Amino acid sequence: MMEEVSITVAYDAHVINQISEEDIFASLVAESRPKPAVPTKKLKKFEKEYHTLRESQLQQEDPIDRYQRENRRLQEASMRLEQENDDLAHELVTSKIALRNDLDQAEDKADVLNKELLNTKQRLVETEEEKRRQEEETAQLKEVFRRELEKAESEIKKTTAIIAEYKQICSQLSTRLEKQQASTKEELDLVKVRDLTLKGQNLDVHFQKSPHSQNSRFFY
């Protein structure tokens, strides 16, 4: 346990020393860049010397320190991957829950729509049945009205024929009545004439008898 602690402290000190050297080199590079007098070849020379120094430090580094550093880097990477995996798992679970909720809502809506569709189909069947029944009743009423109309037309034709026949009979009776009235008038006229003739004859006979009777009384 103490050995691990000492190794860790030594590693931290080594890292601090490396950061200090890197910062120093970076500051040197930063200071050298703005200066137009510093040639590019010199900068490349500094960079090459830095890489050479870095490689020599890595070669001189204790293998245990290197393994611990790599182990820490791998542990950090593993922890980062585990965290990412947890985040992805959480997102996956959340997505599944959201999808499940959406699916449940969609199924509920589908059930509601199916019920409405069934109700609509039922109402449509009932409406079609009512329409068919009304059409049958209308057809029956039309047939009844047609028969009644035909019957009424037949009665009208019969009545019209009877009226025409009655008018013809009345006309004939009127003609016969006029003829009878004329004939009767003629007969009455004849009777009147005959009566007047008879009365005239009677008067003549009376007058003839009357003077003879006076003469007879005169001679007595």
Side-chain angles (χ1 to χ4, degrees), residues 44-95:
K44 290 182 177 180
K45 182 179 179 182
F46 288 155
E47 183 177 0
K48 186 176 180 180
E49 290 178 353
Y50 170 76
H51 287 297
T52 303
L53 179 62
R54 181 66 177 167
E55 290 177 359
S56 63
Q57 288 179 350
L58 290 175
Q59 290 177 0
Q60 294 176 0
E61 185 180 4
D62 189 359
I64 296 175
D65 294 338
R66 187 170 63 254
Y67 292 151
Q68 286 181 351
R69 181 170 53 80
E70 291 294 332
N71 187 20
R72 287 182 181 180
R73 187 178 61 80
L74 292 174
Q75 286 180 355
E76 290 176 356
S78 177
M79 291 176 66
R80 186 178 65 256
L81 292 174
E82 287 180 358
Q83 184 64 37
E84 292 178 356
N85 189 19
D86 291 339
D87 295 338
L88 292 174
H90 184 266
E91 291 179 0
L92 180 61
V93 171
T94 304
S95 299

